[in-house]
Amino acid sequence: MPERNATIVGYGLTEVGKVFGKTARGFAAEAVRLAVADAGLSLGDVDGLLVNARAGTDLNLTLARTLGLENLRLLSEINAFGASAAIMIAQASKAVLSGEAETVVCVFADDPKKQNTGGAHAYRASSLTATGFRSAETAAGFTSVNHRYALAARRYMDHYGLTSSHLGAVAVSQRAWALDNPVAQMRSPLTLDEYHQSRWVVEPLHLLDCCLVSNGGAAVVVTTPERARDLPNTPVYVRGWGQAHPGYVLERDSDFGLVTGAAISGPAALKMAGMTVDDIDLREIYDCYTYTLLVTLEDYGFCGKGEAGELAASGALAPGGTLPTNTGGGQLSSFYLWGMTPLIEALTQLRGDGGRRQIRDHATAIVSGNGGILDHHGTLVLATNSA
């Protein structure tokens, strides 16, 4: 465990959802400026920049030039897909604790939604251009990530007896959280019957099992605990981190769909933080699909394997429940900015900025990121007090 903890002292979130007229680079630049201002700093104080972007956008290292940043001591692109945000925060934390840099901004932005096409088109395109073995999958009809996650979800459901209603309980609970989130894209109440009536995307996944597609950007400022003392916001301490890359292949007898990288990265982050799951107040879990949230909670140890469906059905994850989870609505009902979605909500809650959805006990949070088809996992443990 480090002798001291890096701190997050500011964050910025642009308008998200069906927002047109800006590219990913434009959203990223806005998010960085918002985060730096929130931290009580200026762009001239920034000496490190970590950039995460989906392939095919105009966001890259030249964002530093767009922002007019000079004499940076740290500049890099990081990409483990949805696990990237957690990994960026870990890298930034190590940089400021080692003295490599003092103030590092981590940013993600995307612009998949176009006025003339659906957001799913951008993600489907990556499958249609696949080469090698992946091209054989595409020829067989696997034309999007939805198909591949449907395989994982079906295997999990068949193995553990999870039902569609268990998945629906996740969608319903997260919509309930989104009702009090002013930035959420989906703010109409949702019932379990309405969930079941939503169209199939790929069985066993309904439309409401799948995350949103959003335009926008988010950024976070990481600095030293010494620097944080002079800044206006109460710092959020980065107490622990971990990552895992299982390398599963889609073949018989593998653990694909049953066990994820959360089983390695979660315990690693908790151990670094000197905590157990019983010490965690908030769970902000990467929920590209309802299934993903359930398997992650199990692999982190919040319940036994095969038990998360009943946990969701009991109302434990929903407002008023004993295990508040994805308190802003998550990627299913709030917005989808890869791993920045759970991270921004964790910071909002830890700083007490949640408004009507604010959780009373909000001293600690675990944040997950999931990338690829369960290929990558990143975990953060954050707290309002240092180790």
Side-chain angles (χ1 to χ4, degrees):
M1 183 166 26
E3 293 181 358
R4 57 182 187 148
N5 304 118
T7 61
I8 297 174
V9 292
Y11 63 88
L13 178 67
T14 70
E15 187 179 1
V16 290
K18 296 179 180 179
V19 187
F20 305 111
K22 289 184 181 178
T23 66
R25 183 198 296 261
F27 283 120
E30 180 184 355
V32 170
R33 293 187 179 102
L34 288 171
V36 169
D38 178 64
L41 297 167
S42 69
L43 287 173
D45 295 311
V46 175
D47 60 357
L49 179 65
L50 299 179
V51 179
N52 174 219
R54 179 177 59 86
T57 72
D58 66 345
L59 180 56
N60 51 46
L61 292 182
T62 60
L63 175 65
R65 185 173 300 166
T66 299
L67 291 166
L69 299 177
E70 298 178 344
N71 300 316
L72 292 178
R73 300 166 62 196
L74 176 67
L75 177 62
S76 185
E77 293 182 42
I78 293 178
N79 200 336
F81 306 105
S84 303
I87 294 172
M88 280 196 295
I89 297 299
Q91 293 294 94
S93 297
K94 287 183 276 189
V96 301
L97 292 176
S98 69
E100 182 180 1
E102 184 177 68
T103 303
V104 181
V105 178
C106 305
V107 61
F108 170 81
D110 203 0
D111 61 345
K113 294 189 75 68
K114 310 299 179 185
Q115 288 180 294
N116 299 323
T117 59
H121 174 79
Y123 294 97
R124 186 180 301 116
S126 64
S127 289
L128 297 179
T129 58
T131 60
F133 184 74
R134 284 288 302 276
S135 65
E137 294 179 13
T138 302
F142 287 73
T143 59
S144 76
V145 293
N146 294 325
H147 292 87
R148 295 173 173 86
Y149 269 99
L151 280 180
R154 175 58 72 192
R155 187 173 191 215
Y156 175 92
M157 293 171 77
D158 289 348
H159 188 85
Y160 289 113
L162 188 84
T163 69
S164 185
S165 290
H166 289 138
L167 296 178
V170 175
V172 171
S173 71
Q174 294 198 190
R175 182 65 60 85
W177 283 114
L179 300 182
D180 288 326
N181 183 357
V183 304
Q185 291 179 231
M186 308 297 287
R187 299 185 65 195
S188 299
L190 176 67
T191 67
L192 190 59
D193 284 342
E194 289 170 332
Y195 160 83
H196 283 299
Q197 291 166 13
S198 67
R199 67 177 175 84
W200 292 110
V201 174
V202 184
E203 291 191 50
L205 301 176
H206 287 272
L207 177 65
L208 295 176
D209 287 306
C210 306
C211 67
L212 298 164
V213 179
S214 310
N215 288 353
V220 172
V221 181
V222 180
T223 191
T224 63
E226 294 81 9
R227 186 74 176 91
R229 296 191 190 106
D230 299 324
L231 300 176
N233 295 321
T234 300
V236 171
Y237 294 91
V238 185
R239 293 279 299 271
W241 56 77
Q243 58 178 293
H245 310 271
Y248 290 139
V249 291
L250 302 180
E251 63 182 27
R252 181 178 300 176
D253 297 328
S254 81
D255 282 334
F256 174 75
L258 303 180
V259 181
T260 73
I264 295 174
S265 67
L270 287 164
K271 181 179 180 180
M272 179 183 290
M275 298 184 197
T276 71
V277 291
D278 293 333
D279 298 312
I280 299 299
D281 295 327
L282 296 156
R283 286 140 290 275
E284 305 298 345
I285 306 298
Y286 196 96
D287 56 320
C288 48
Y289 300 89
T290 50
Y291 147 79
T292 318
L293 178 139
L294 296 177
V295 73
T296 302
L297 286 175
E298 293 175 357
D299 287 345
Y300 278 172
F302 287 102
C303 60
K305 291 300 292 182
E307 297 178 358
E310 283 298 321
L311 191 68
S314 75
L317 312 182
T322 56
L323 294 173
T325 299
N326 287 1
T327 51
Q331 297 163 328
L332 297 172
S333 285
S334 185
F335 59 88
Y336 180 63
L337 290 181
W338 279 12
M340 282 294 186
T341 301
L343 176 58
I344 292 297
E345 178 61 20
L347 297 174
T348 300
Q349 289 285 339
L350 290 169
R351 284 181 19 174
D353 295 338
R356 292 180 59 183
R357 71 184 189 283
Q358 179 63 51
I359 301 303
R360 182 187 63 185
D361 297 325
H362 57 273
T364 57
I366 193 167
V367 179
S368 81
N370 167 71
I373 316 300
L374 305 175
D375 296 309
H376 315 287
H377 200 95
T379 307
L380 296 173
V381 176
L382 309 176
T384 56
N385 63 304
S386 62

